[in-house]
Amino acid sequence: MLTKRIIPCLDVKDGKTVKGVNFLNLRDAGDPVELGALYSQQGADELVFLDITATLEKRKTLVELVKRVAQNINIPFTIGGGIGSIEDVSACLNAGADKVSVNSSAIKNPVLIDQLSKEFGNQCIVVAIDTRNVNGKNLVHSHGGTKPTDIDTIVWAKEMQERGAGELLLTSMDHDGTKAGFANELTAHISSTVSIPVIASGGAGNMEHFTDVFTKGKADAALAASIFHFKEISIPELKAYLKSNDICMRT
């Protein structure tokens, strides 16, 4: 059995870590590099940094942030936000990122994932999928969750794998920030449909939610923000809890 991963997510806006509910009402959670270094020390398996308004504001991901993170953190990290070309990915990887996360640009131009995978290898290409239930259908959203599309989430996940994504970051906008648990049914459906790793995101509120997403949701990794940023759960105690529940964790 492959070990499961715990991944703190740092949503970055104007150089600060922020967190909201259902992608709205953002509040300041501190310096992203300091928080990232703390999580690294505490045993996080990976980190994800998302410049959440980069696409919305039509500007590039902060390469300077990547450099700062790389200088202070010794675990793998993914950077996302406004990445839309081979040049963008190259700049982020050269600045020290291990992976890049692509969302809106893939929706606008799906062939981009083919190109990025061919150029850099699929191991560093993460496709982020922001999804929301609209009239009974799970539909993909772009531009930081602000623009709905008519793309079915399951169909999109399969296409992204076929085009060369090495991993999927699945965020349920309906669950995001609610602390009511992950979207286990949808996560399990996608995990059973694709053969690449699926990172579940949105809804973590307690340690039991992580057990559920790894067992019922069949996720390969679980991503969370608020509960770590505001010190509601520590990574060491979460990992100990999961191990006690027979979830295979990295030490």
Side-chain angles (χ1 to χ4, degrees), residues 48-52 54 61 78-83 92 99-102:
V48 170
F49 294 84
L50 298 177
D51 186 359
I52 60 172
T61 297
T78 300
I79 190 84
I83 293 174
C92 288
K99 306 176 190 177
V100 295
S101 172
V102 183

Side-chain angles (χ1 to χ4, degrees), residues 224-239:
S226 322
I227 58 166
F228 298 139
H229 300 342
F230 302 116
K231 299 180 170 56
E232 295 164 36
I233 296 176
S234 75
I235 292 169
E237 67 176 335
L238 173 59
K239 283 195 158 185

Side-chain angles (χ1 to χ4, degrees), residues 44-222:
D45 298 299
E46 296 180 24
L47 297 170
V48 170
F49 294 84
L50 298 177
D51 186 359
I52 60 172
T53 55
T55 303
L56 205 56
E57 296 170 4
K58 295 183 172 57
R59 54 183 172 74
K60 302 301 182 187
T61 297
L62 302 173
V63 171
E64 287 305 312
L65 171 65
V66 179
K67 291 178 180 175
R68 285 179 60 213
V69 173
Q71 289 165 359
N72 288 275
I73 290 165
N74 59 5
I75 59 175
F77 72 94
T78 300
I79 190 84
I83 293 174
S85 68
I86 286 175
E87 291 74 24
D88 292 341
V89 175
S90 182
C92 288
L93 296 179
N94 286 336
D98 297 277
K99 306 176 190 177
V100 295
S101 172
V102 183
N103 185 343
S104 301
S105 297
I107 295 169
K108 183 179 178 182
N109 175 28
V111 175
L112 175 66
I113 301 305
D114 300 79
Q115 295 168 339
L116 295 180
S117 179
K118 183 178 179 182
E119 181 75 20
F120 302 103
N122 72 346
Q123 78 285 344
C124 63
I125 307 302
V126 180
V127 171
I129 303 175
D130 294 338
T131 181
R132 173 171 271 160
N133 191 297
V134 180
N135 299 322
K137 293 182 179 179
N138 287 299
L139 298 180
V140 175
H141 285 58
S142 69
H143 294 76
T146 62
K147 292 189 176 184
T149 72
D150 59 359
I151 303 170
D152 178 270
T153 302
I154 307 292
V155 172
W156 184 242
K158 289 171 66 176
E159 180 179 346
M160 289 299 95
Q161 172 181 267
E162 290 163 3
R163 289 189 179 278
E167 203 160 24
L168 300 176
L169 170 52
L170 177 70
T171 300
S172 167
M173 294 172 61
D174 298 307
H175 291 70
D176 177 71
T178 63
K179 300 183 184 175
F182 292 92
N184 293 322
E185 189 176 335
L186 176 62
T187 303
H189 194 162
I190 290 179
S191 295
S192 301
T193 301
V194 301
S195 58
I196 56 177
V198 175
I199 305 167
S201 167
N206 59 45
M207 292 193 283
E208 189 177 345
H209 290 156
F210 287 86
T211 303
D212 288 344
V213 81
F214 288 136
T215 53
K216 298 174 185 175
K218 298 180 169 51
D220 298 278

